[in-house]
């Protein structure tokens, strides 16, 4: 019996067009994009073209885009960038484990970390974040779309509340990108995580 795969929200196969676009760089044009030789320059051009395409898709500048190995590293990087001893970090209680585990490491390293409670639908209410930010915080992280129950968070509003209180705002948009518009300018987020294996 042929299996039926129903977990594409967790990860999905490479689209044939994507595979065709990548094959030359896996077989012939496999140069290191940091090298100055011809194959390296060709690979660098491809990386920069991809950077421009992604930046255009989410409305940021190419220079603002940092490639990592995936969503987990991106989330880890966002949290650890603010995990200085004594810093106060916030995230929703329903974040992906990549954020939650990073918060645990930050707490072990001397940070104060707090989970923002969610309502019965898994949403962070704006007043919950506002109340939590009555005390200064370095970072607040709330995922755009929940990977298990699908809750969509009011990211633009939450980011605005964070900025009013001089708090950096991160969103894990890994589950959102490709399913709903992801717009860095509209949302006014400081950091946003994506991953190609969901798309």
């Amino acid at each position: 019996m042929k299996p039926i795969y129903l977990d594409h929200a967790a990860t999905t196969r490479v689209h044939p067009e994507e595979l065709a676009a990548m094959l030359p760089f896996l077989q012939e044009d496999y140069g290191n994009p940091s090298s100055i030789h011809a194959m390296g320059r060709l690979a660098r051009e491809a990386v920069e073209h991809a950077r421009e395409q992604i930046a255009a898709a989410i409305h940021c500048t190419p220079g603002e885009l940092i490639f990592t190995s995936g969503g987990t590293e991106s989330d880890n990087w966002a949290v650890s960038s603010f995990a200085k001893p004594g810093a106060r970090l916030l995230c929703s209680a329903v974040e992906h484990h990549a954020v939650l585990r990073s918060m645990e490491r930050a707490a072990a390293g001397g940070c104060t970390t707090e989970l923002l409670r969610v309502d019965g639908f898994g949403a962070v209410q704006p007043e919950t974040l506002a109340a939590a930010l009555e005390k200064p915080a370095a970072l607040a992280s709330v995922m755009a779309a929940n990977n298990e129950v699908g809750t969509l968070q009011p990211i633009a509003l939450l980011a605005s509340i964070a900025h009013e209180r001089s708090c950096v705002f991160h969103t894990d948009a890994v589950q959102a990108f490709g399913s709903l518009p992801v717009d860095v300018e509209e949302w006014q987020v400081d950091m946003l995580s994506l991953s190609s294996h969901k798309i």
Side-chain angles (χ1 to χ4, degrees):
M1 174 190 265
K2 182 177 179 182
I4 299 173
Y5 184 75
L6 299 175
D7 202 19
H8 289 282
T11 194
T12 193
R13 71 175 178 235
V14 172
H15 190 281
E17 289 179 23
E18 181 184 2
L19 179 61
M22 285 302 301
L23 276 177
F25 299 99
L26 299 173
Q27 295 176 325
E28 297 100 23
D29 304 324
Y30 49 83
N32 180 337
S34 296
S35 298
I36 60 171
H37 52 64
M39 286 178 67
R41 289 194 308 273
L42 185 63
R44 168 62 74 180
E45 287 173 15
V47 169
E48 294 311 319
H49 178 66
R51 187 185 311 277
E52 290 168 4
Q53 288 179 307
I54 297 166
I58 64 173
H59 299 116
C60 72
T61 65
E64 292 174 305
L65 197 62
I66 298 169
F67 287 132
T68 65
S69 64
T72 296
E73 183 182 357
S74 180
D75 285 344
N76 292 168
W77 185 81
V79 174
S80 65
S81 294
F82 292 88
K84 312 293 185 261
R88 185 167 173 260
L89 311 176
L90 311 173
C91 75
S92 82
V94 294
E95 289 302 297
H96 189 276
H97 289 294
V99 170
L100 294 173
R101 298 297 175 258
S102 292
M103 289 285 185
E104 289 172 3
R105 285 189 297 278
C111 293
T112 299
T113 60
E114 294 178 31
L115 297 180
L116 302 168
R117 65 178 169 75
V118 296
D119 65 17
F121 297 100
V124 175
Q125 292 300 315
E127 57 270 21
T128 300
L129 179 60
L133 288 172
E134 287 177 4
K135 293 187 292 185
L139 174 72
S141 182
V142 179
M143 68 188 339
N146 187 277
N147 58 305
E148 294 185 5
V149 296
T151 303
L152 302 179
Q153 303 285 355
I155 295 301
L157 180 55
L158 296 174
S160 174
I161 291 167
H163 293 152
E164 287 170 7
R165 291 151 179 88
S166 302
C167 178
V168 171
F169 192 85
H170 166 254
T171 187
D172 177 338
V174 167
Q175 201 66 49
F177 190 65
S179 297
L180 60 107
V182 172
D183 191 319
V184 171
E185 288 181 1
E186 183 180 319
W187 288 356
Q188 288 297 298
V189 295
D190 301 295
M191 295 183 291
L192 181 142
S193 298
L194 298 176
S195 182
S196 64
H197 79 103
K198 300 274 191 175
I199 303 167

